[in-house]
Amino acid sequence: RLGTLTDHSPKAAELAHRLEQRLRVDPPEEGPRVLVALGADLSGGEVWFIQPNSLHGDAMHAAGVLNAVGEDVLGPPSMPVEQLVRLDPDLIIVISADPDLNEQGKQALIDGFGALPTLTAVKDGRIGVLAGYRYLSPGPAILDFVDALEATVAGLMEPQ
């Protein structure tokens, strides 16, 4: 509808088709259990995450991963650190809104989970970072999130 209103109908139709094709998938039956965390500051005793019942939750399915959270979340998507320990995800992907995050900044985010050495993702060194606001966008950049998540997970799953 916006494409028609702004005289961009063909481009809008193509984008709508890409979104429908890429995001309209059922959750995978198997695959790594991934927690996509919104930052890595655990000092407050909680972690914010991508909930399964969201557009980004659908994007996780499109990337071929299972959301470690598993069940729909009502209200703010945060959990106590103790719940994260119980979930024990295979991988953790941290999203930072900072598009200019350097390697030291990325490592600091990864190290933020080092306070939980019993987590499988920590023990196996399977924590990745996606840096840039576009990964948080509910707009067309959601497709960038799917592609980046897919590539990051593949890289983390390679034998080390």
Side-chain angles (χ1 to χ4, degrees):
R1 198 175 336 180
L2 286 174
T4 301
L5 293 172
T6 61
D7 290 328
H8 291 93
S9 291
K11 197 172 183 179
E14 188 270 328
L15 175 60
H17 178 74
R18 282 182 34 227
L19 287 167
E20 285 179 6
Q21 293 301 307
R22 188 71 164 127
L23 296 180
R24 295 214 179 228
V25 297
D26 291 328
E29 291 192 23
E30 56 184 46
R33 292 175 47 259
V34 178
L35 177 83
V36 178
L38 306 175
D41 181 5
L42 305 179
S43 63
E46 67 181 358
V47 62
W48 290 80
F49 59 90
I50 297 293
Q51 59 197 57
N53 51 316
S54 67
L55 180 61
H56 280 78
D58 290 344
M60 289 177 69
H61 295 156
V65 301
L66 299 169
N67 193 319
V69 174
E71 68 277 344
D72 288 352
V73 175
L74 301 176
S78 69
M79 72 175 86
V81 171
E82 295 82 7
Q83 184 178 352
L84 171 59
V85 171
R86 282 192 302 275
L87 287 176
D88 193 22
D90 301 319
L91 291 88
I92 297 172
I93 308 297
V94 184
I95 297 181
S96 168
D98 183 356
D100 300 318
L101 192 66
N102 62 24
E103 289 306 312
Q104 284 180 304
K106 289 179 183 180
Q107 190 59 51
L109 290 173
I110 292 169
D111 292 346
F113 285 93
L116 303 172
T118 61
L119 288 179
T120 298
V122 174
K123 288 189 290 191
D124 294 347
R126 292 193 167 154
I127 302 176
V129 176
L130 296 178
Y133 182 77
R134 71 185 182 282
Y135 298 126
L136 298 169
S137 171
I142 191 80
L143 297 173
D144 295 339
F145 172 67
V146 174
D147 294 340
L149 180 60
E150 199 169 51
T152 301
V153 166
L156 291 172
M157 294 301 292
E158 289 178 3
Q160 298 179 7

